[in-house]
Coordinates of all heavy atoms in Angstrom, one line a residue:
K235 N 6.6 -23.5 -40.8 CA 6.4 -22.0 -40.5 C 5.1 -21.5 -40.1 O 4.8 -20.5 -39.3 CB 6.8 -21.3 -41.8 CG 8.2 -21.4 -42.2 CD 8.5 -20.6 -43.5 CE 10.1 -20.8 -43.9 NZ 10.4 -20.1 -45.0
S236 N 4.1 -22.3 -40.4 CA 2.7 -22.0 -39.9 C 2.0 -23.2 -39.6 O 1.6 -24.1 -40.4 CB 2.0 -21.2 -41.1 OG 0.7 -20.9 -40.7
F237 N 1.7 -23.3 -38.3 CA 1.0 -24.5 -37.7 C -0.2 -24.1 -36.7 O 0.0 -23.2 -36.0 CB 2.0 -25.3 -37.0 CG 1.5 -26.7 -36.6 CD1 2.0 -27.8 -37.6 CD2 0.8 -27.1 -35.5 CE1 1.7 -29.1 -37.3 CE2 0.5 -28.4 -35.4 CZ 0.9 -29.5 -36.2
P238 N -1.3 -24.7 -36.9 CA -2.5 -24.2 -36.1 C -2.2 -24.5 -34.6 O -1.8 -25.6 -34.2 CB -3.6 -25.0 -36.6 CG -3.1 -26.2 -37.3 CD -1.8 -25.8 -37.8
F239 N -2.5 -23.5 -33.8 CA -2.6 -23.7 -32.3 C -3.8 -23.2 -31.8 O -4.2 -22.1 -32.0 CB -1.3 -22.9 -31.7 CG -1.0 -23.0 -30.2 CD1 0.0 -23.9 -29.8 CD2 -1.8 -22.3 -29.3 CE1 0.2 -24.1 -28.5 CE2 -1.7 -22.4 -28.0 CZ -0.7 -23.3 -27.6
L240 N -4.5 -24.0 -31.0 CA -5.7 -23.7 -30.5 C -5.7 -22.9 -29.2 O -5.1 -23.2 -28.1 CB -6.5 -25.1 -30.1 CG -8.0 -25.0 -29.7 CD1 -8.8 -24.3 -30.6 CD2 -8.5 -26.3 -29.1
V241 N -6.4 -21.7 -29.2 CA -6.3 -20.7 -28.1 C -7.7 -20.8 -27.4 O -8.7 -20.4 -28.2 CB -6.0 -19.3 -28.5 CG1 -6.0 -18.5 -27.3 CG2 -4.5 -19.2 -29.1
G242 N -7.9 -21.1 -26.2 CA -9.2 -21.2 -25.6 C -9.9 -22.5 -26.2 O -9.3 -23.5 -26.5
N243 N -11.2 -22.4 -26.5 CA -12.0 -23.5 -27.0 C -12.2 -23.5 -28.4 O -12.5 -24.4 -29.0 CB -13.4 -23.5 -26.3 CG -13.2 -23.8 -24.8 OD1 -12.4 -24.6 -24.3 ND2 -14.1 -23.2 -24.0
Q244 N -12.1 -22.3 -29.0 CA -12.4 -22.1 -30.4 C -11.4 -21.5 -31.2 O -11.1 -21.8 -32.5 CB -13.8 -21.4 -30.6 CG -14.9 -22.2 -30.0 CD -16.2 -21.5 -30.1 OE1 -16.3 -20.2 -30.1 NE2 -17.4 -22.1 -30.1
A245 N -10.8 -20.3 -30.8 CA -9.9 -19.6 -31.6 C -8.7 -20.3 -32.0 O -8.1 -21.1 -31.2 CB -9.6 -18.2 -30.9
T246 N -8.0 -20.0 -33.1 CA -6.8 -20.6 -33.7 C -5.9 -19.6 -34.2 O -6.3 -18.7 -34.9 CB -7.2 -21.7 -34.8 OG1 -8.0 -22.7 -34.3 CG2 -5.9 -22.3 -35.3
V247 N -4.7 -19.7 -33.8 CA -3.7 -18.9 -34.3 C -2.6 -19.8 -35.0 O -2.7 -21.0 -34.7 CB -2.9 -18.0 -33.2 CG1 -3.9 -17.1 -32.5 CG2 -2.3 -19.0 -32.2
H248 N -1.8 -19.2 -35.7 CA -0.8 -20.0 -36.4 C 0.6 -19.7 -36.0 O 0.9 -18.4 -35.8 CB -0.9 -19.8 -38.0 CG -2.1 -20.4 -38.6 ND1 -3.4 -20.0 -38.5 CD2 -2.2 -21.7 -39.3 CE1 -4.1 -20.8 -39.0 NE2 -3.5 -22.0 -39.5
V249 N 1.4 -20.6 -35.7 CA 2.7 -20.4 -35.1 C 3.8 -21.2 -35.9 O 3.4 -22.3 -36.4 CB 2.8 -20.8 -33.6 CG1 1.8 -19.9 -32.8 CG2 2.4 -22.3 -33.4
P250 N 5.1 -20.8 -35.6 CA 6.2 -21.8 -36.2 C 6.2 -23.0 -35.2 O 6.2 -22.8 -34.1 CB 7.4 -20.9 -36.2 CG 7.0 -19.5 -36.0 CD 5.6 -19.6 -35.3
M251 N 6.2 -24.1 -35.8 CA 6.3 -25.4 -35.0 C 7.5 -26.2 -35.2 O 7.7 -26.7 -36.3 CB 4.9 -26.2 -35.3 CG 4.8 -27.4 -34.4 SD 4.3 -26.9 -32.7 CE 2.6 -26.6 -32.9
M252 N 8.3 -26.3 -34.2 CA 9.5 -27.2 -34.3 C 9.1 -28.6 -34.3 O 8.1 -29.0 -33.7 CB 10.4 -26.9 -33.2 CG 10.9 -25.3 -32.9 SD 11.9 -25.0 -31.6 CE 11.0 -25.5 -30.2
H253 N 10.0 -29.3 -34.8 CA 9.5 -30.8 -34.9 C 10.9 -31.7 -35.1 O 11.7 -31.5 -35.6 CB 8.8 -31.0 -36.3 CG 8.6 -32.4 -36.8 ND1 8.8 -32.9 -38.1 CD2 8.0 -33.5 -36.1 CE1 8.4 -34.2 -38.2 NE2 7.9 -34.6 -36.9
Q254 N 10.7 -32.9 -34.3 CA 11.8 -33.9 -34.4 C 11.2 -35.2 -33.9 O 10.3 -35.3 -33.2 CB 12.9 -33.4 -33.7 CG 12.9 -33.4 -32.2 CD 14.4 -33.3 -31.4 OE1 15.2 -34.1 -31.8 NE2 14.5 -32.2 -30.8
K255 N 11.9 -36.3 -34.4 CA 11.7 -37.6 -33.9 C 13.0 -38.0 -33.2 O 14.1 -38.0 -33.7 CB 11.4 -38.6 -35.0 CG 10.1 -38.2 -35.8 CD 9.9 -39.1 -37.0 CE 8.9 -38.7 -37.9 NZ 8.7 -39.5 -39.1
E256 N 12.9 -38.4 -31.9 CA 14.0 -38.7 -31.0 C 13.6 -39.4 -29.7 O 12.3 -39.6 -29.5 CB 14.7 -37.4 -30.7 CG 16.1 -37.5 -30.1 CD 17.0 -38.5 -30.8 OE1 17.6 -38.0 -31.7 OE2 17.0 -39.7 -30.4
Q257 N 14.5 -39.9 -29.1 CA 14.3 -40.7 -27.7 C 14.1 -39.5 -26.7 O 15.1 -38.9 -26.5 CB 15.3 -41.7 -27.5 CG 15.0 -43.0 -28.1 CD 15.9 -44.0 -27.8 OE1 17.2 -43.8 -27.5 NE2 15.4 -45.3 -27.3
F258 N 13.1 -39.4 -25.9 CA 12.9 -38.6 -24.8 C 12.3 -39.3 -23.7 O 11.6 -40.2 -23.9 CB 12.2 -37.4 -25.3 CG 12.7 -36.4 -26.3 CD1 12.1 -36.3 -27.5 CD2 13.9 -35.7 -25.9 CE1 12.8 -35.4 -28.4 CE2 14.3 -34.8 -26.9 CZ 13.8 -34.8 -28.0
A259 N 12.4 -38.8 -22.5 CA 11.8 -39.2 -21.3 C 10.3 -38.8 -21.5 O 10.1 -37.6 -21.7 CB 12.4 -38.8 -20.1
F260 N 9.4 -39.6 -21.5 CA 8.0 -39.3 -21.7 C 7.1 -40.2 -20.9 O 7.4 -41.4 -20.6 CB 7.7 -39.5 -23.2 CG 6.3 -39.2 -23.6 CD1 5.8 -37.9 -23.8 CD2 5.3 -40.2 -23.9 CE1 4.5 -37.6 -24.2 CE2 4.1 -40.0 -24.2 CZ 3.7 -38.7 -24.4
G261 N 5.9 -39.7 -20.6 CA 5.0 -40.5 -19.9 C 3.5 -40.0 -20.0 O 3.3 -38.8 -20.3
V262 N 2.6 -40.7 -19.6 CA 1.2 -40.3 -19.6 C 0.8 -40.4 -18.1 O 0.8 -41.6 -17.5 CB 0.3 -41.2 -20.4 CG1 -1.2 -40.7 -20.4 CG2 0.8 -41.2 -21.9
D263 N 0.3 -39.4 -17.5 CA -0.2 -39.4 -16.1 C -1.7 -39.6 -16.2 O -2.4 -38.7 -16.3 CB 0.2 -38.1 -15.4 CG 0.0 -38.1 -13.9 OD1 -1.0 -38.8 -13.6 OD2 0.7 -37.6 -13.1
A264 N -2.0 -40.8 -16.0 CA -3.6 -41.2 -16.1 C -4.3 -40.5 -15.0 O -5.4 -40.1 -15.2 CB -3.7 -42.7 -16.1
E265 N -3.6 -40.2 -13.8 CA -4.4 -39.8 -12.7 C -4.7 -38.2 -13.0 O -5.7 -37.8 -12.7 CB -3.5 -39.8 -11.4 CG -4.1 -39.1 -10.2 CD -3.2 -39.2 -9.0 OE1 -2.1 -39.8 -9.1 OE2 -3.6 -38.7 -7.9
L266 N -3.8 -37.5 -13.6 CA -4.0 -36.1 -13.8 C -4.4 -35.8 -15.3 O -4.6 -34.7 -15.8 CB -2.8 -35.3 -13.6 CG -2.3 -35.4 -12.1 CD1 -1.0 -34.6 -12.0 CD2 -3.4 -34.9 -11.2
N267 N -4.5 -37.0 -16.1 CA -4.9 -36.9 -17.6 C -4.1 -35.9 -18.3 O -4.5 -34.9 -18.8 CB -6.4 -36.3 -17.6 CG -7.0 -36.7 -18.9 OD1 -6.4 -37.1 -19.8 ND2 -8.4 -36.6 -18.9
C268 N -2.8 -36.2 -18.4 CA -1.8 -35.4 -19.1 C -0.7 -36.1 -19.7 O -0.4 -37.1 -19.2 CB -1.4 -34.1 -18.2 SG -0.5 -34.7 -16.8
F269 N 0.0 -35.5 -20.7 CA 1.2 -36.1 -21.2 C 2.3 -35.3 -20.6 O 2.2 -34.0 -20.5 CB 1.3 -35.8 -22.7 CG 0.3 -36.7 -23.6 CD1 -0.6 -36.1 -24.4 CD2 0.1 -38.0 -23.3 CE1 -1.5 -36.8 -25.2 CE2 -0.7 -38.8 -24.1 CZ -1.6 -38.1 -25.0
V270 N 3.4 -35.8 -20.3 CA 4.6 -35.3 -19.7 C 5.8 -35.5 -20.5 O 6.2 -36.7 -20.6 CB 4.8 -35.6 -18.2 CG1 6.0 -34.7 -17.7 CG2 3.5 -35.4 -17.4
L271 N 6.5 -34.5 -21.0 CA 7.6 -34.8 -21.9 C 8.8 -33.9 -21.2 O 8.8 -32.9 -20.8 CB 7.4 -34.1 -23.2 CG 8.8 -34.0 -24.2 CD1 9.1 -35.4 -24.6 CD2 8.5 -33.1 -25.4
Q272 N 9.9 -34.7 -21.0 CA 11.2 -34.1 -20.4 C 12.2 -34.0 -21.5 O 12.5 -35.0 -22.2 CB 11.7 -35.0 -19.3 CG 13.1 -34.6 -18.7 CD 13.6 -35.5 -17.7 OE1 12.8 -36.0 -16.8 NE2 14.9 -35.7 -17.6
M273 N 12.6 -32.8 -21.6 CA 13.7 -32.5 -22.5 C 14.9 -31.9 -21.9 O 14.9 -30.9 -21.2 CB 13.3 -31.5 -23.7 CG 12.2 -32.2 -24.7 SD 11.9 -31.1 -26.0 CE 13.4 -31.0 -27.0
D274 N 16.0 -32.4 -22.0 CA 17.2 -32.1 -21.2 C 18.0 -31.0 -22.1 O 18.1 -30.9 -23.3 CB 18.1 -33.2 -21.0 CG 17.6 -34.3 -20.1 OD1 16.5 -34.0 -19.5 OD2 18.1 -35.5 -20.0
Y275 N 18.6 -30.2 -21.3 CA 19.6 -29.2 -21.7 C 21.0 -29.8 -21.5 O 21.1 -30.6 -20.6 CB 19.5 -27.8 -21.1 CG 18.1 -27.1 -21.3 CD1 17.2 -27.0 -20.3 CD2 17.7 -26.5 -22.5 CE1 16.0 -26.5 -20.4 CE2 16.6 -25.9 -22.7 CZ 15.7 -25.8 -21.7 OH 14.5 -25.2 -21.9
R276 N 21.9 -29.3 -22.3 CA 23.4 -29.7 -22.0 C 23.7 -29.0 -20.6 O 23.5 -27.7 -20.4 CB 24.2 -29.2 -23.0 CG 24.0 -29.9 -24.3 CD 24.9 -29.6 -25.4 NE 24.7 -30.2 -26.7 CZ 25.5 -30.2 -27.8 NH1 26.5 -29.4 -27.8 NH2 25.2 -30.8 -28.9
G277 N 24.2 -29.8 -19.8 CA 24.3 -29.4 -18.4 C 23.4 -30.1 -17.3 O 22.7 -31.1 -17.8
D278 N 22.9 -29.4 -16.4 CA 22.1 -29.9 -15.3 C 20.6 -29.5 -15.5 O 19.7 -29.9 -14.7 CB 22.5 -29.6 -14.0 CG 23.8 -30.4 -13.6 OD1 24.0 -31.6 -14.0 OD2 24.6 -29.9 -12.8
A279 N 20.3 -28.6 -16.4 CA 18.9 -28.0 -16.6 C 18.1 -29.0 -17.4 O 18.4 -29.8 -18.2 CB 19.0 -26.8 -17.3
V280 N 16.8 -29.0 -17.0 CA 15.8 -29.9 -17.5 C 14.6 -29.1 -17.9 O 14.2 -28.3 -17.0 CB 15.4 -31.0 -16.7 CG1 14.3 -31.8 -17.2 CG2 16.7 -32.0 -16.4
A281 N 13.9 -29.3 -18.9 CA 12.6 -28.6 -19.2 C 11.5 -29.7 -19.2 O 11.7 -30.8 -19.8 CB 12.6 -28.0 -20.6
F282 N 10.4 -29.5 -18.5 CA 9.1 -30.4 -18.6 C 8.1 -29.6 -19.4 O 7.8 -28.4 -19.2 CB 8.7 -30.7 -17.2 CG 9.5 -31.6 -16.4 CD1 10.5 -31.0 -15.5 CD2 9.4 -33.0 -16.5 CE1 11.2 -32.0 -14.9 CE2 10.1 -33.8 -15.7 CZ 11.0 -33.2 -15.0
F283 N 7.5 -30.3 -20.3 CA 6.4 -29.7 -21.2 C 5.2 -30.7 -20.8 O 5.3 -31.9 -20.9 CB 6.6 -29.8 -22.6 CG 7.7 -28.9 -23.1 CD1 9.1 -29.3 -23.2 CD2 7.4 -27.6 -23.6 CE1 10.1 -28.4 -23.5 CE2 8.4 -26.7 -24.0 CZ 9.7 -27.2 -24.1
V284 N 4.1 -30.0 -20.3 CA 3.0 -30.8 -19.8 C 1.7 -30.4 -20.5 O 1.4 -29.2 -20.6 CB 2.7 -30.5 -18.2 CG1 1.7 -31.4 -17.7 CG2 4.0 -30.7 -17.5
L285 N 1.1 -31.3 -21.4 CA 0.0 -31.2 -22.1 C -1.2 -31.9 -21.5 O -1.3 -33.1 -21.6 CB 0.3 -31.6 -23.6 CG -0.9 -31.4 -24.5 CD1 -1.0 -29.9 -24.8 CD2 -0.6 -32.2 -25.9
P286 N -2.1 -31.2 -21.0 CA -3.3 -31.8 -20.2 C -4.4 -32.1 -21.3 O -4.3 -31.7 -22.5 CB -4.0 -30.7 -19.3 CG -3.5 -29.5 -19.9 CD -2.2 -29.7 -20.6
G287 N -5.2 -33.2 -21.1 CA -6.2 -33.5 -22.0 C -7.1 -32.2 -22.2 O -7.2 -31.3 -21.3
K288 N -7.9 -32.2 -23.2 CA -8.9 -31.0 -23.5 C -9.8 -30.8 -22.4 O -10.3 -31.7 -22.0 CB -9.5 -31.2 -24.8 CG -8.6 -31.2 -26.1 CD -9.4 -31.4 -27.4 CE -8.4 -31.2 -28.5 NZ -9.2 -31.3 -29.8
G289 N -9.8 -29.6 -21.9 CA -10.8 -29.3 -20.9 C -10.2 -29.7 -19.4 O -11.0 -29.5 -18.4
K290 N -9.0 -30.1 -19.3 CA -8.4 -30.6 -18.1 C -7.3 -29.7 -17.5 O -6.7 -30.1 -16.5 CB -7.9 -32.1 -18.3 CG -8.9 -33.1 -18.6 CD -10.1 -33.4 -17.7 CE -11.0 -34.3 -18.2 NZ -12.1 -34.6 -17.2
M291 N -7.1 -28.6 -18.0 CA -6.0 -27.9 -17.4 C -6.3 -27.3 -15.9 O -5.5 -27.4 -15.2 CB -5.8 -26.6 -18.4 CG -4.9 -25.4 -17.8 SD -3.1 -26.2 -17.6 CE -2.6 -26.0 -19.4
R292 N -7.4 -26.8 -15.7 CA -7.8 -26.5 -14.3 C -7.6 -27.6 -13.4 O -7.1 -27.4 -12.2 CB -9.3 -25.9 -14.3 CG -9.6 -25.4 -12.9 CD -10.9 -24.6 -12.9 NE -11.2 -24.2 -11.6 CZ -10.9 -23.1 -10.9 NH1 -9.9 -22.4 -11.6 NH2 -11.2 -22.8 -9.7
Q293 N -8.0 -28.8 -13.7 CA -7.8 -30.0 -12.8 C -6.3 -30.1 -12.6 O -5.9 -30.3 -11.5 CB -8.5 -31.2 -13.4 CG -8.2 -32.5 -12.7 CD -8.5 -33.7 -13.4 OE1 -9.3 -33.6 -14.3 NE2 -8.0 -34.8 -13.1
L294 N -5.6 -30.1 -13.6 CA -4.0 -30.3 -13.5 C -3.5 -29.2 -12.6 O -2.8 -29.3 -11.6 CB -3.5 -30.2 -14.8 CG -1.9 -30.0 -15.0 CD1 -1.4 -31.4 -14.3 CD2 -1.5 -29.9 -16.3
E295 N -3.8 -27.8 -12.7 CA -3.4 -26.8 -12.2 C -3.7 -26.9 -10.6 O -2.8 -26.6 -9.7 CB -3.9 -25.4 -12.6 CG -3.5 -25.1 -14.0 CD -4.2 -23.8 -14.6 OE1 -5.3 -23.6 -14.3 OE2 -3.5 -23.2 -15.5
Q296 N -4.8 -27.4 -10.2 CA -5.1 -27.5 -8.8 C -4.4 -28.6 -8.0 O -4.2 -28.5 -6.9 CB -6.7 -27.8 -8.7 CG -7.5 -26.6 -9.2 CD -7.3 -25.3 -8.5 OE1 -7.1 -25.2 -7.2 NE2 -7.1 -24.3 -9.2
T297 N -3.8 -29.5 -8.8 CA -3.0 -30.6 -8.1 C -1.5 -30.6 -8.2 O -1.0 -31.4 -7.7 CB -3.6 -31.9 -8.7 OG1 -3.4 -31.9 -10.1 CG2 -5.1 -32.2 -8.5
L298 N -1.0 -29.5 -8.8 CA 0.4 -29.4 -9.0 C 1.1 -29.3 -7.6 O 0.7 -28.5 -6.8 CB 0.8 -28.3 -9.9 CG 0.5 -28.4 -11.4 CD1 0.6 -27.1 -12.0 CD2 1.3 -29.6 -12.0
S299 N 2.1 -30.1 -7.4 CA 2.8 -29.9 -6.1 C 4.1 -30.5 -6.3 O 4.6 -31.1 -7.4 CB 2.0 -30.7 -5.0 OG 2.1 -32.2 -5.3
A300 N 5.1 -30.3 -5.2 CA 6.4 -30.8 -5.2 C 6.3 -32.4 -5.4 O 7.2 -33.0 -6.2 CB 7.1 -30.6 -3.9
R301 N 5.3 -33.0 -4.8 CA 5.1 -34.5 -4.9 C 4.9 -34.9 -6.5 O 5.3 -35.8 -7.0 CB 4.0 -34.9 -4.1 CG 3.7 -36.5 -4.2 CD 2.4 -36.7 -3.4 NE 2.0 -38.2 -3.7 CZ 1.1 -38.4 -4.8 NH1 0.7 -37.4 -5.5 NH2 0.7 -39.7 -4.9
T302 N 4.0 -34.1 -7.1 CA 3.7 -34.3 -8.6 C 5.0 -34.3 -9.4 O 5.2 -35.1 -10.2 CB 2.8 -33.2 -9.0 OG1 1.6 -33.2 -8.2 CG2 2.3 -33.5 -10.5
L303 N 5.9 -33.2 -9.1 CA 7.0 -33.2 -9.9 C 8.0 -34.1 -9.6 O 8.7 -34.7 -10.6 CB 7.7 -31.8 -9.7 CG 8.9 -31.3 -10.4 CD1 8.4 -31.3 -12.0 CD2 9.4 -29.9 -10.1
R304 N 8.2 -34.6 -8.3 CA 9.0 -35.9 -8.0 C 8.5 -37.1 -8.8 O 9.3 -37.9 -9.3 CB 9.0 -36.0 -6.6 CG 9.9 -35.0 -5.8 CD 10.3 -35.5 -4.4 NE 9.0 -35.7 -3.7 CZ 8.5 -34.8 -2.9 NH1 9.0 -33.5 -2.9 NH2 7.3 -35.0 -2.2
K305 N 7.1 -37.2 -8.7 CA 6.5 -38.4 -9.4 C 7.0 -38.5 -11.0 O 7.4 -39.5 -11.4 CB 5.1 -38.5 -9.2 CG 4.3 -39.5 -10.0 CD 2.9 -39.6 -9.7 CE 2.3 -38.5 -10.5 NZ 0.8 -38.5 -10.4

Side-chain angles (χ1 to χ4, degrees):
K235 294 183 179 179
S236 181
F237 198 95
F239 186 99
L240 183 64
V241 177
N243 294 324
Q244 296 180 333
T246 298
V247 297
H248 285 79
V249 298
M251 186 69 79
M252 302 182 297
H253 171 227
Q254 71 168 302
K255 299 174 186 177
E256 190 49 87
Q257 280 190 310
F258 293 113
F260 179 79
V262 179
D263 189 326
E265 180 184 358
L266 299 182
N267 197 349
C268 62
F269 297 126
V270 184
L271 172 70
Q272 176 183 321
M273 291 187 62
D274 295 347
Y275 299 105
R276 295 187 181 182
D278 287 326
V280 173
F282 288 94
F283 293 89
V284 186
L285 183 69
K288 290 184 179 179
K290 299 297 182 181
M291 175 60 80
R292 182 169 176 81
Q293 174 192 339
L294 172 63
E295 290 173 333
Q296 294 304 313
T297 53
L298 289 171
S299 67
R301 176 183 168 275
T302 305
L303 190 56
R304 282 195 302 271
K305 178 179 72 171

